Amino acid sequence: MKAVEIINKRGPKEKHFLREDGIMEARLYSENIHYLKDGKYEEIDNNLVINEEYLENKSNEYKVRFKTKVDCNNFFELLKGDKYLKIAFYDCNNTISKKEFSNKNESIVYCENIYENIDLEYLISSEKIKENVIIKDKILKNSITYSLETNFEVKLEKNEISLYDSGGNKVFVFNRP
């Protein structure tokens, strides 16, 4: 049975449809499928596209950008409005950030041998980015050192690092490893 979405009834985790038989149907989701832009809910699309020298997600309330050719001094950026977070690594190998998987809901970026026998994998979803450190074999390096540059307000809270926007809203959290 055909149904038409009633776009002005969208919420962060919901869609509403008017079916042919006149019944209104609501679909609820466990994660955000929409984000607020200019007072209207828009569809999240985390498909990765190449924009100049970056892989970046198409549309979300945040923009995540990975350098296609890894530059240890500017590995990835997280942008939200006029706020940014840039992550760099110390002493990493030159490698390539590649798209492993990409669709509207989730994308995966993979970086092989960022350090000897260490790969990094990033899972990008509607509300978060998860980093996986993949240790492939015996390693000589026993730590990975990051450098963070940001204009978010940063607070250390309960063993996590929280980033706040200009309005005092918590927008990102780095969980304890």
Side-chain angles (χ1 to χ4, degrees):
M1 181 173 296
K2 287 187 179 181
V4 176
E5 184 185 0
I6 312 300
I7 292 173
N8 65 353
K9 293 187 78 56
R10 284 179 175 174
K13 297 179 182 189
E14 62 188 84
K15 287 182 178 276
H16 297 266
F17 297 88
L18 182 58
R19 298 187 338 195
E20 281 180 320
D21 60 6
I23 293 176
M24 182 72 74
E25 178 181 311
R27 296 182 190 162
L28 305 175
Y29 300 84
S30 58
E31 288 191 4
N32 286 356
I33 57 168
H34 300 118
Y35 69 101
L36 205 52
K37 180 180 179 185
D38 301 325
K40 295 181 181 180
Y41 282 103
E42 300 289 335
E43 294 233 9
I44 291 173
D45 188 344
N46 280 315
N47 271 305
L48 294 173
V49 294
I50 295 178
N51 184 355
E52 296 175 17
E53 75 267 16
Y54 292 97
L55 279 173
E56 68 179 25
N57 57 335
K58 273 189 181 176
S59 61
N60 199 331
E61 68 179 335
Y62 68 87
K63 186 67 73 181
V64 60
R65 298 179 357 165
F66 292 87
K67 293 281 259 184
T68 51
K69 292 183 180 172
V70 171
D71 173 357
C72 297
N73 296 317
N74 183 10
F75 177 65
F76 101 67
E77 299 174 354
L78 189 58
L79 311 163
K80 185 171 181 183
D82 63 344
K83 299 293 187 184
Y84 68 88
L85 170 73
K86 294 179 181 180
I87 295 181
F89 291 98
Y90 288 108
D91 301 325
C92 76
N93 296 325
N94 291 328
T95 186
I96 303 290
S97 295
K98 56 186 178 179
K99 178 171 47 173
E100 285 287 303
F101 173 80
S102 182
N103 72 24
K104 258 178 113 165
N105 301 319
E106 180 179 71
S107 290
I108 300 172
V109 173
Y110 202 83
C111 304
E112 288 184 297
N113 290 315
I114 191 124
Y115 294 103
E116 187 176 344
N117 290 319
I118 298 176
D119 297 347
L120 295 177
E121 176 185 63
Y122 292 89
L123 308 169
I124 303 150
S125 66
S126 64
E127 299 177 79
K128 63 185 173 185
I129 300 168
K130 181 173 183 336
E131 177 186 65
N132 292 320
V133 177
I134 298 150
I135 300 171
K136 298 185 295 187
D137 202 354
K138 294 178 186 176
I139 56 173
L140 300 174
K141 188 167 191 60
N142 61 9
S143 67
I144 297 174
T145 306
Y146 294 85
S147 166
L148 304 177
E149 177 187 332
T150 187
N151 65 350
F152 283 99
E153 181 182 349
V154 179
K155 294 182 182 177
L156 183 59
E157 304 171 323
K158 298 179 185 175
N159 293 322
E160 63 187 28
I161 299 170
S162 300
L163 303 179
Y164 288 82
D165 65 15
S166 304
N169 303 304
K170 186 187 289 189
V171 290
F172 295 110
V173 174
F174 286 85
N175 293 322
R176 183 176 179 191

